[in-house]
Amino acid sequence: MKILVLDGNQNQAVASVRSLAKRGHVVWVGESSSWSKAGWSRYCSRSFQYASPHTDPKKFLTDVLAEATNETGTLLLPMTEATTAMVSTHREQFTAVGARFVLPDRLDLLRAFDKSHTTALAQSLGIATPKTYSVTSVEELKEIAKRILMPVVLKPKTSQEQSDDGVLRITGRPRYASDPKSFMAAFLEIQKRCTTVLVQEFVGGSGTGYFALMNHGELRAEFAHRRIRDVHPTGSGSALRESIAPDPKIREISLSLLRALNWHGVAMIEFRLRADNVPVFLEINGRFWNSLPLAYYSGVDFPGLLTQMAEFGDVDPPGPYRTGVRCRWLVGDFRHLVGVWKGRPVGYPGRFPNRLATLLAELTPRAGTFHDNFMWRDPLPELGDWIRLVQQVRETRS
């Protein structure tokens, strides 16, 4: 099968290319830049460039449709919310040229991307959630400030937001506040990036998640890991993680959410595990996740399973996977170290890593650890990852 892997500069794209090429598929990699780390993989048959779905969504659609038209039955694998939303929104046009994809219905996908909706859904199912308010104005914020206890987390309602002219913008990372002054400052900063801000009580504990492949609400494959180090020291995105058996409680509530959404395809459900061992729901990521390589090395080949589902309509669940497997994102670990060295962010109330302990931990290798991008037989994706990091730093400073 011919497969178009989009978002070639994502770790999950690299893992997908390697998995699918080894299964005998012809894999092409697309990205909005002129090159990508997945496109540099020896397992990539061809690279192509498309317009950014954020700045020129119409041209993006034209570019990807042109690649999908070349061969009937081409499978599309979007790796980010932006490209997933574009493929889902224009699914009729892709279907018309014979392309395939494994995605939930468009409305179900939009519901999953909307953090306020998924929070309300979780509450309706009796799942623990942070106390949450949706805010669109300073006046509303002042009223909420009278009722909510500090510290709090402020985050955009969605990770991507579409303007009236169809342009997508990335809404950015959360902010923290522990007093009324920082509360207002954080809101005004986030409001520049999105129209609706979610204000949530801060939940202490460790980040954890549940990963699944669903066939119209029915489980086909699952995976879980524990985070050892996050890319951002305040949480979000793992730099080093270890495979574990799914926690029965987290598994149960995750599947109740995915079944309520009649989910079709892959998804990650993210939680904060409190000190009393109660999982608190945070969000659903309705796409392949950044730490996908660990699942592959542990024995759950999500890209391969999803491809089988696209080709045959269903797939047999795989057998048990290996626990205790570790996988590390070297660039992510470097970013973690830089974040720790910068110090605790303003308003962040949780535990923050020690600088010297972090440095020692990162410099101490552990035998048998896999890497998200580095592989002796396929080293260029790792090189591309570091080059991209340098480019991002330069763009930030310019």
Side-chain angles (χ1 to χ4, degrees):
M1 183 190 301
K2 176 185 169 184
I3 301 174
L4 302 184
V5 173
L6 307 183
D7 309 291
N9 271 321
Q10 302 296 315
N11 289 359
Q12 56 267 43
V14 175
S16 296
V17 170
R18 289 168 172 167
S19 157
L20 297 172
K22 290 177 181 178
R23 283 175 171 255
H25 299 291
V26 177
V27 186
W28 292 12
V29 175
E31 181 54 88
S32 58
S33 58
S34 59
W35 65 274
S36 69
K37 60 189 182 186
W40 282 5
S41 170
R42 62 177 298 188
Y43 298 101
C44 170
S45 297
R46 180 178 177 274
S47 295
F48 63 97
Q49 185 177 5
Y50 49 71
S52 169
H54 298 100
T55 58
D56 196 347
K58 292 182 179 179
K59 184 65 166 56
F60 166 85
L61 180 61
T62 300
D63 292 342
V64 179
L65 276 170
E67 301 295 341
T69 304
N70 290 333
E71 185 176 324
T72 301
T74 295
L75 175 64
L76 298 173
L77 290 186
M79 297 287 155
T80 64
E81 280 194 13
T83 56
T84 299
M86 286 294 295
V87 172
S88 178
T89 299
H90 301 282
R91 60 178 63 213
E92 291 82 6
Q93 291 173 260
F94 286 108
T95 301
V97 299
R100 292 186 277 196
F101 44 81
V102 180
L103 293 172
D105 290 340
R106 181 172 180 272
L107 290 180
D108 290 333
L109 186 71
L110 294 177
R111 289 162 64 196
F113 285 169
D114 185 336
K115 294 181 178 65
S116 62
H117 177 86
T118 53
T119 299
L121 175 62
Q123 291 170 346
S124 73
L125 295 172
I127 299 169
T129 66
K131 186 173 292 185
T132 304
Y133 300 91
S134 294
V135 187
T136 59
S137 67
V138 171
E139 291 70 26
E140 290 178 349
L141 189 78
K142 290 179 179 178
E143 286 299 314
I144 290 170
K146 299 174 184 178
R147 303 196 298 270
I148 196 166
L149 295 175
M150 303 286 177
V152 295
V153 183
L154 298 92
K155 63 179 68 172
K157 180 182 177 182
T158 57
S159 301
Q160 316 269 346
E161 188 170 270
Q162 191 171 39
S163 63
D164 294 335
D165 58 1
V167 174
L168 289 171
R169 61 175 174 175
I170 299 174
T171 52
R173 288 188 48 73
R175 294 290 183 268
Y176 304 89
S178 53
D179 58 69
K181 183 178 179 180
S182 60
F183 187 38
M184 180 62 70
F187 173 77
L188 294 175
E189 194 275 325
I190 295 179
Q191 195 181 40
K192 297 175 183 176
R193 305 184 255 119
C194 65
T195 54
T196 303
V197 179
L198 296 187
V199 178
Q200 294 183 325
E201 64 176 344
F202 178 81
V203 179
S206 58
T208 189
Y210 177 79
F211 310 85
L213 172 64
M214 308 291 289
N215 188 353
H216 297 292
E218 296 298 324
L219 179 66
R220 290 296 179 265
E222 64 182 353
F223 183 72
H225 71 230
R226 71 177 184 92
R227 294 179 178 182
I228 298 173
R229 284 193 294 272
D230 285 330
V231 177
H232 303 281
T234 55
S236 182
S238 62
L240 176 66
R241 81 293 294 193
E242 182 177 73
S243 60
I244 60 172
D247 177 275
K249 179 62 176 178
I250 290 176
R251 182 182 190 270
E252 176 188 351
I253 60 181
S254 296
L255 290 176
S256 68
L257 285 164
L258 294 174
R259 286 168 180 154
L261 289 168
N262 192 36
W263 197 258
H264 188 59
V266 294
M268 172 200 176
I269 303 88
E270 188 172 355
F271 299 88
R272 181 72 70 173
L273 193 61
R274 295 190 325 211
D276 58 2
N277 213 36
V278 172
V280 180
F281 170 77
L282 296 180
E283 64 183 31
I284 296 175
N285 291 313
R287 53 172 175 77
F288 282 111
W289 45 93
N290 196 64
S291 59
L292 179 65
L294 175 60
Y296 176 78
Y297 287 124
S298 301
V300 188
D301 183 3
F302 281 102
L305 293 168
L306 184 140
T307 301
Q308 285 182 260
M309 187 182 293
E311 189 170 9
F312 303 111
D314 204 352
V315 64
D316 292 329
Y321 59 86
R322 292 188 296 148
T323 59
V325 178
R326 287 194 176 196
C327 195
R328 183 184 187 190
W329 180 21
L330 291 174
V331 166
D333 233 0
F334 174 75
R335 289 168 58 186
H336 173 87
L337 181 62
V338 171
V340 170
W341 225 256
K342 286 181 178 178
R344 183 189 301 270
V346 175
Y348 180 67
R351 295 180 60 186
F352 199 75
N354 176 272
R355 289 171 176 166
L356 292 179
T358 299
L359 178 62
L360 180 62
E362 293 205 16
L363 292 178
T364 305
R366 173 166 168 164
T369 299
F370 293 94
H371 295 90
D372 285 7
N373 295 307
F374 180 73
M375 180 185 291
W376 285 112
R377 296 187 68 249
D378 188 30
L380 290 183
E382 181 66 38
L383 174 62
D385 205 19
W386 288 97
I387 292 174
R388 183 167 175 262
L389 175 65
V390 173
Q391 289 179 335
Q392 289 173 327
V393 171
R394 288 177 176 174
E395 290 170 2
T396 303
R397 291 178 177 177
S398 62

